[in-house]
Amino acid sequence: MFGYIERFSAVLVAAGFPPMPARVFVALLVTDAGRLTAAELAGVLRVSPAAVSGGVRYLTQLGLVHKERVPGSRRDYYRMPDDVWSGMFRLRDQVLLRWAELIREGIELAGPGSPAGARLAEHALFFDFVSAEMPEVLKRWAEYQAARPA
C-alpha cells in the first residue's frame, strides 16, 4: 500500500498539492477504518508525527480533513468528509476565479487591443466558462448520487 500512496500523492503534488498533505490525504483515502490518528498516519507514511501534523493542519484548513474524537478515547482521529471530491472541486473553482481576476488585470496592463491582451482575454473566457459550469456539474453529481441504489 505504501507504494500506491507514494504514486498517488506524486500525482497530487504534480497538480499543486504540497507533498506531505498529499501523502496524508491519500493515506486517509485508502484506510479501511476511514480515520486514523496522527501516530497511525506517521506509521503508514513512515514519517515523524511532526511531519503529519503539518499535513493534517493544511488539509483541515482547506476542509479536506476533519478532526474528531471517538467517545471514550483521548486521541484525535482524522478523517475525510464524505463529499471530499466535490469539496476539492469547489476549492479548485476558487483558484480558477483568482486566476481569472489576475488575467483580467493582465489584460488591462497589456492593453485590451494588443496581441497579449487578446490572448489573455481568451484565457479569461475559458476560466469564466469553467467557473460558470462548475455549480451545475456539482449539482448533477449530487443528483446522480441520490439516484444510485444504496
Side-chain angles (χ1 to χ4, degrees):
M1 189 63 74
F2 181 74
Y4 175 79
I5 291 170
E6 293 300 303
R7 287 193 315 276
F8 195 152
S9 62
V11 171
L12 293 175
V13 168
F17 247 79
M20 187 51 63
R23 295 175 75 204
V24 169
F25 182 85
V26 177
L28 289 170
L29 183 66
V30 301
T31 182
D32 283 341
R35 64 178 182 242
L36 294 170
T37 66
E40 290 168 336
L41 280 164
V44 168
L45 298 174
R46 303 175 187 169
V47 297
S48 72
V52 167
S53 175
V56 165
R57 185 173 31 257
Y58 178 88
L59 294 169
T60 301
Q61 289 171 346
L62 295 178
L64 298 176
V65 167
H66 295 272
K67 182 166 74 169
E68 63 184 27
R69 281 245 166 118
V70 174
S73 173
R74 298 171 125 188
R75 295 183 180 170
D76 289 327
Y77 287 84
Y78 301 97
R79 67 167 183 83
M80 290 183 177
D82 292 336
D83 64 345
V84 70
W85 292 110
S86 59
M88 193 176 287
F89 274 86
R90 283 185 187 91
L91 286 172
R92 184 59 70 182
D93 191 43
Q94 291 172 5
V95 170
L96 294 178
L97 290 172
R98 282 184 277 183
W99 287 355
E101 290 172 17
L102 285 169
I103 287 171
R104 282 187 181 70
E105 184 180 325
I107 293 168
E108 293 305 314
L109 290 171
S114 72
R119 190 170 52 254
L120 287 166
E122 188 66 27
H123 292 285
L125 282 174
F126 173 79
F127 289 124
D128 290 343
F129 174 80
V130 171
S131 291
E133 292 295 314
M134 189 59 66
E136 183 61 27
V137 168
L138 293 173
K139 178 183 167 212
R140 288 188 3 235
W141 167 245
E143 291 167 353
Y144 176 80
Q145 279 186 300
R148 283 187 12 215

